[in-house]
Amino acid sequence: MSDVTRSAKNRRRGAAGAAAAITAGLGGWWTRRHGHAPPARDTGARPRAGTETGAGTAAGAAESALWRMRTTVRDEPGSLAALCTALAERWVDILSLQTHPLAEGTVDEFLLRAPAALPGPELTAVVAAAGGTDTWLERADAHDLVDAPTRVLGLAARTALDAAELPLALRQLLGRCTIRSLPAPAAGAAAGVPAEGVLDGTVMRLRAPEGGTISVERPHLPFTPTEFARARALVELDARLGPRVPRGQETLALPEGADLTVRRADPGDLAAAKAMHDRCSPRTLGLRYHGPVGDADRYLGHLLSPRFGRTLAVQTAAGRIVGLGHLLWDGDETEVALLVEDAWQRRGIGAGLLARLVAMAAEAGCARVYAVTQASNTAMVAAMRGLGLPLDYQIEEGTLVITATLDPAAAGTRSPHGQRVTQE
């Protein structure tokens, strides 16, 4: 990603975005966050019988909301019972409960169904009056109804199938957090993180599968030993399985009648991707990388790594790569980028790649995707318009940023939590 691209994105996203946008040629994970919207309507609570007034009436309970709550109670008999009794008195259902014993006290994590008329601050006050401290509360949705063991097993299965799933799995496991991939220490430097990892309140550090360190920070909510153990298990699973990318492929039928193959690409395609660069004109490379053409090759190793997103390759029957499409995790949104060899342009390859990348983004739970290009790149503009999605255009110093808002219904499943994943 060039300085022009970063400048346009930083001005567009403000000071917070500027802190997160880091050079694409360095190692690490790009920032990615998802908003967490509360349920728009009743989540399926059963009506209650009763004649009490206030938030606990049968009419009030019929309209309900889901909450995720974490609070600390004294490690002594009756403490949890007092809290549960206080919640029951306000017609709050406890749908699930996990306890995390600490050196002092116990952290209890709840999934609650509360009357819609009971606001968050009042619910927190009820918990505090019953002895809960350091309470954290957030709206939940139907995805949170899946019990923790089932969710962790599902994340492990996804990670086992695809190395690109590790950052997504950590996000869904830990919620809103900042994940940084730090390089391995240089020769002669102090040793890196120990094999068992380090947990320090709101920060956990794990040994990365490819070397170096994965640092996870969540300032608003300390990690529990249970969360640390689950995250470490996912990273260890990824390390044991080694590099892997799904080998499925599909046919891309061109209007002219030719059939090409679309498949996932990985670092093993580096030589073929560089060969495609050599066949591209300086203008084509300039439109894609927004910088000196001579720098194009040095981005490929980063772009082909599943740690930073997903890449699709289009190849001929002879096995020659003629197009690349990248889906890159980056902040509140997700970047899409295309490169099609000159001799194969204007045949529908870019549009076919873009449609598949957007479908992958929706499946991963992304709310938006954006493309950074130039106003003169009419092919990319046309491909974005061809998605049939709401688009936002911003032009700064000749750089065009097109943002598409994805259709939640097309995602199938939505990530229940948000996160930041920042490249170092």
Side-chain angles (χ1 to χ4, degrees):
M1 185 178 296
S2 69
D3 292 338
V4 173
T5 301
R6 291 195 302 275
S7 176
K9 285 175 57 185
N10 291 347
R11 285 192 294 272
R12 180 171 66 95
R13 304 166 74 86
I22 310 296
T23 306
L26 302 177
W29 283 338
W30 266 308
T31 299
R32 182 159 180 267
R33 288 183 299 175
H34 296 294
H36 186 84
R41 58 192 299 274
D42 176 54
T43 54
R46 60 189 181 280
R48 298 177 182 272
T51 57
E52 299 182 38
T53 60
T57 62
E63 295 294 331
S64 63
L66 292 175
W67 296 92
R68 284 184 293 120
M69 183 183 75
R70 182 177 293 183
T71 191
T72 301
V73 299
R74 297 184 303 277
D75 189 11
E76 57 185 51
S79 296
L80 179 58
L83 176 57
C84 294
T85 299
L87 292 173
E89 290 175 350
R90 301 304 300 269
W91 294 93
V92 177
D93 276 342
I94 299 175
L95 303 181
S96 69
L97 168 63
Q98 296 184 68
T99 60
H100 308 279
L102 304 178
E104 297 181 3
T106 300
V107 174
D108 293 319
E109 190 168 352
F110 298 85
L111 178 62
L112 305 173
R113 194 195 311 273
L118 182 64
E122 188 173 341
L123 180 56
T124 301
V126 170
V127 173
T133 60
D134 298 324
T135 301
W136 169 83
L137 189 69
E138 184 177 61
R139 293 293 289 268
D141 62 23
H143 296 84
D144 295 293
L145 293 172
V146 179
D147 66 278
T150 300
R151 184 169 66 251
V152 172
L153 286 172
L155 295 176
R158 288 172 50 183
T159 302
L161 293 173
D162 188 350
E165 291 289 336
L166 180 60
L168 301 178
L170 289 173
R171 179 184 67 248
Q172 294 196 16
L173 179 67
L174 302 172
R176 291 192 306 274
C177 56
T178 301
I179 302 178
R180 294 186 175 93
S181 179
L182 308 176
V193 67
E196 66 272 15
V198 175
L199 174 60
D200 184 13
T202 60
V203 179
M204 69 170 72
R205 290 183 291 275
L206 304 165
R207 182 173 291 181
E210 65 277 5
T213 302
I214 298 173
S215 174
V216 187
E217 300 179 22
R218 191 174 64 188
H220 69 282
L221 186 65
F223 295 110
T224 66
T226 300
E227 288 179 313
F228 176 63
R230 290 170 179 168
R232 186 175 61 188
L234 277 178
V235 175
E236 289 177 353
L237 173 65
D238 185 271
R240 287 180 177 274
L241 294 175
R244 62 208 176 279
V245 171
R247 293 303 176 188
Q249 61 184 37
E250 57 181 299
T251 299
L252 174 61
L254 302 184
E256 64 192 36
D259 288 342
L260 301 177
T261 298
V262 181
R263 60 172 177 82
R264 284 281 297 277
D266 60 23
D269 294 299
L270 181 59
K274 286 184 177 180
M276 188 187 75
H277 273 185
D278 293 339
R279 299 190 299 271
C280 291
S281 67
R283 182 179 184 278
T284 291
L285 294 177
L287 288 174
R288 166 60 186 91
Y289 294 107
H290 321 291
V293 174
D295 292 340
D297 283 357
R298 70 186 180 92
Y299 294 127
L300 282 175
H302 180 93
L303 294 172
L304 291 172
S305 170
R307 297 301 179 205
F308 309 108
R310 300 172 182 172
T311 295
L312 294 178
V314 178
Q315 65 182 33
T316 65
R320 171 181 289 187
I321 292 179
V322 296
L324 290 172
H326 305 287
L327 184 70
L328 306 170
W329 316 135
D330 187 18
D332 291 334
E333 300 155 354
T334 301
E335 184 179 3
V336 289
L338 304 174
L339 178 65
V340 178
E341 184 179 328
D342 291 63
W344 291 86
Q345 292 176 9
R346 308 291 179 177
R347 300 190 187 186
I349 294 177
L353 273 176
L354 185 60
R356 287 164 172 80
L357 293 173
V358 168
M360 293 167 65
E363 183 182 7
C366 304
R368 288 167 293 276
V369 298
Y370 72 88
V372 179
T373 185
Q374 298 178 21
S376 60
N377 191 349
T378 57
M380 188 65 183
V381 174
M384 291 293 288
R385 287 177 176 171
L387 293 172
L389 298 171
L391 300 179
D392 173 75
Y393 302 85
Q394 295 192 32
I395 300 179
E396 297 182 17
E397 299 179 2
T399 299
L400 174 63
V401 180
I402 309 175
T403 303
T405 300
L406 304 188
D407 180 5
T413 58
R414 183 179 62 82
S415 172
H417 308 306
Q419 80 153 11
R420 292 181 67 87
V421 182
T422 306
Q423 180 186 351
E424 291 293 319

